């Protein structure tokens, strides 16, 4: 069973930055497609960024150039660097990992992966 634990959320002003972390276990989960999703109150969950087993990345259009997904396999940790934050980025951010696909290239990834953390809250004030 894959376990994912997010941290790093907080409250910042618009234009600020945060770095989210996701500790993953077991270590082998880092080989598969992993991603960050978010859900704001009253809105549907949406995929934000993905990184696959070969470190290829994909981003939601609205975060391109502002957010960066990365991972440190030696530390079994997934990261999401959030820069130039906007109030509309406020949401509960979830780490997610797939059970079997090492690639994040298929469109189905935007609908969700197999394993989920409990989330970390990001609040951006104007």
């Amino acid at each position: 069973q894959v376990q994912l634990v997010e941290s790093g959320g907080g409250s910042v002003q618009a234009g600020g930055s945060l770095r989210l972390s996701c500790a993953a276990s077991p270590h082998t989960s880092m080989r598969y497609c992993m991603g960050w999703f978010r859900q704001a109150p009253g809105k549907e969950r949406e995929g934000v960024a993905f990184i696959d087993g070969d470190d290829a990345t994909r981003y939601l259009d609205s975060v391109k150039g502002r957010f960066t997904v990365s991972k440190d396999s030696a530390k079994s940790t997934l990261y999401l660097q959030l820069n130039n934050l906007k109030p509309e980025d406020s949401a509960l951010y979830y780490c997610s990992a797939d059970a079997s696909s090492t690639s994040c290239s298929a469109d189905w990834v935007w609908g969700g992966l197999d394993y989920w953390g409990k989330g970390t809250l990001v609040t951006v004030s104007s």
Side-chain angles (χ1 to χ4, degrees):
Q1 183 72 17
V2 172
Q3 292 187 332
L4 304 169
V5 180
E6 304 94 336
S7 61
S11 297
V12 297
Q13 290 189 328
S17 297
L18 286 171
R19 188 175 81 156
L20 308 184
S21 299
C22 171
S25 63
H27 172 78
T28 51
S29 61
M30 303 298 292
R31 300 176 185 172
Y32 300 102
C33 176
M34 300 186 75
W36 289 94
F37 291 75
R38 67 185 181 187
Q39 187 167 20
K43 295 188 177 181
E44 293 188 356
R45 184 184 66 198
E46 63 180 355
V48 175
F50 300 90
I51 186 166
D52 70 13
D54 293 324
D55 291 342
T57 57
R58 299 180 73 182
Y59 294 93
L60 180 68
D61 284 347
S62 62
V63 307
K64 285 180 180 178
R66 300 189 299 121
F67 292 6
T68 303
V69 60
S70 62
K71 64 182 180 181
D72 185 335
S73 295
K75 296 182 178 179
S76 296
T77 303
L78 178 72
Y79 301 101
L80 185 67
Q81 178 68 40
L82 295 75
N83 295 330
N84 191 21
L85 281 160
K86 303 176 180 181
E88 53 263 40
D89 294 319
S90 296
L92 190 59
Y93 282 71
Y94 298 92
C95 173
S96 186
D98 200 69
S100 58
S101 179
T102 57
S103 172
C104 301
S105 62
D107 287 342
W108 59 260
V109 302
W110 297 102
L113 306 177
D114 295 307
Y115 302 107
W116 297 89
K118 293 184 178 181
T120 185
L121 185 63
V122 172
T123 304
V124 185
S125 59
S126 58

